[in-house]
Amino acid sequence: MSPPRIVAYEVLEAVRTDEAYANLLLPKRIERSKLSEADAALATELTYGTLRMQGFYDAVIELAAGRPAGRIDPPVLDVLRLGVHQLLSTRVPTHAAVNEQVVLAKRIAPAASGFVNGVLRTVSRSSLESWRDELAAEMPSDDARLAVLSSHPEWIVRALRSALVKEGRGDELEALLEADNLAPRVNLAVLPGLGDESPEGLGEPNRFSPIGATAPNPIALVAAHEGRVRVQDEGSQLAALALSRAADVAPGERWLDLCAGPGGKTAVLAAEALANDAALVANELVPARAELVRRAIAGVPLEVHVAVGDGRETDASALGSADGFDRILLDAPCTGLGALRRRPEARWRKQPADVPELTQLQGELFDHAVRLLAPGGVLAYVTCSPHTAETHGTLAAALRRWEGELEQLDTRAVVQSVVREPLDLAGAPETVQLWPHRHGTDAMFIALVRRTR
Ligand SMILES: C[S@@+](CC[C@H](N)C(=O)[O-])C[C@H]1O[C@@H](n2cnc3c(N)ncnc32)[C@H](O)[C@@H]1O
């Protein structure tokens, strides 16, 4: 049996039955199975590719098997999905893809091995293009066609379209859906002002983030630089820098990261606070994630208090700043629809019903963040979702509730002043929406507001 295929199958099974996260579980399974580098790469490709394209593969399987995917035993369906991925999206020879999956089926569901063999042989007789054409012809609407071909749930296609249309870029939808299906590069942040490291010295500097770089051996670099070099998306770097560089920093400023776990942006803020003589406090609801924040900032020689608490009610004195904070980052819990590239199963797990629950929470966190702001203080409201209910919706509702007490800043001008090369940004200047297809970042939303009194 092929060890990478077993590892991939086991991860798919854990995602299905235990709500496991593939990006966390896969590295552990690869290590446990002691896979060679080449086998680890194959296991990764099989797992991620299959999970991302699951919607499309299920539609192909339904045509080939002549029955709905929901009527196929889930373990058998996972074996088929892995097989279809190999047949349609990799260079694995047809006979190897079919044979390996039949062997896997014999181990997992022996009675279904003939069925697996038959379905995969049917799939192998047509090219990817033919399957796409056949499915496209069957779809009742444009949204359904885009959804199946790009392997996204239809409600997510509609949400992404609305977000693009809002900034007059509806014609970019297909490029965005395509970008969601490409593995993001591993990107590094070189925490500023700490040591001799620089993005230029490390590898290829990022196009936009002044503290970002890519390099051929990112993991080794992270290990070698003792917390001063970290893996972080370029968009996340820009979100943290938008707050720390929104205006000149007065010495002694007090900064707060209200929803900090696992601490990627806290680390950038800590380095920026250290360089500017500011103080930083971090808060996180989940104790285990607060611990990750402590680890994330271990490379920055700044004393940062990491509190565990609900950001909707934590009080300023308990956070060590009774008079409030001068800058607050609210990187809010959200659907994460802007980071689908890195969480391959997320698109199937999220539900439309998550959105109202999250916008309620975002609104409550926003309100408390405003209460924690000192007069004149700046709040960065950030989501890694471009869903307009979570971005403009949450922001607009908060601005209405705090009418006369908050003013919007020119977030676009701030972000453009931070970047190495101008970003192609659309929509109103008070907010910035980054995109995977246009900027190569996660789809981060950033809005800066100031408390006027
Ligand atoms: C989008 S993540 C923050 C990511 C982080 N800024 C980073 O760059 O690594 C949102 C965080 O908010 C936390 N959270 C959720 N509800 C919260 C609440 N009521 N109060 C404080 N934190 C909360 C989640 O546990 C999660 O760690």
Side-chain angles (χ1 to χ4, degrees), residues 135-284:
L135 282 169
E138 282 205 337
M139 290 302 136
S141 68
D142 200 34
D143 283 355
R145 179 185 62 79
L146 280 173
V148 77
L149 295 185
S150 71
S151 196
H152 284 68
E154 213 173 310
W155 75 274
I156 294 184
V157 170
R158 283 195 293 272
L160 296 177
R161 174 186 285 119
S162 303
L164 285 166
V165 165
K166 183 152 180 74
E167 51 178 57
R169 299 286 188 98
D171 57 342
E172 294 179 8
L173 179 61
E174 288 193 39
L176 169 60
L177 296 171
E178 223 170 273
D180 271 350
N181 289 334
L182 300 176
R185 59 177 193 235
V186 178
N187 200 61
L188 296 172
V190 184
L191 298 185
L194 297 183
D196 297 335
E197 299 90 358
S198 68
E200 291 77 7
L202 222 61
E204 179 75 23
N206 280 168
R207 207 169 139 205
F208 303 114
S209 169
I211 63 167
T214 50
N217 48 352
I219 304 306
L221 285 172
V222 169
H225 291 274
E226 297 169 332
R228 297 187 301 274
V229 174
R230 304 177 36 80
V231 171
Q232 189 176 45
D233 174 64
E234 199 179 350
S236 290
Q237 296 173 24
L238 294 179
L241 294 175
L243 179 66
S244 63
R245 301 187 182 179
D248 291 344
V249 185
E253 274 193 15
R254 298 141 305 169
W255 296 2
L256 168 66
D257 187 353
L258 189 61
C259 295
K265 295 182 194 71
T266 323
V268 174
L269 290 179
E272 291 273 286
L274 181 66
N276 289 285
D277 212 3
L280 176 66
V281 178
N283 178 76
E284 163 60 43

Side-chain angles (χ1 to χ4, degrees), residues 230 232 236 240 257-267 283-286 289-290 293 296 309-314 329-334 343 361 365 382-384 444:
R230 304 177 36 80
Q232 189 176 45
S236 290
D257 187 353
L258 189 61
C259 295
K265 295 182 194 71
T266 323
N283 178 76
E284 163 60 43
L285 178 68
V286 182
R289 290 175 75 79
V293 178
D310 189 326
R312 291 172 291 184
E313 54 194 35
T314 181
L329 173 63
L330 169 53
D331 188 10
C334 67
R343 299 180 199 135
L361 174 59
L365 286 164
V382 172
T383 61
C384 65
M444 307 294 304

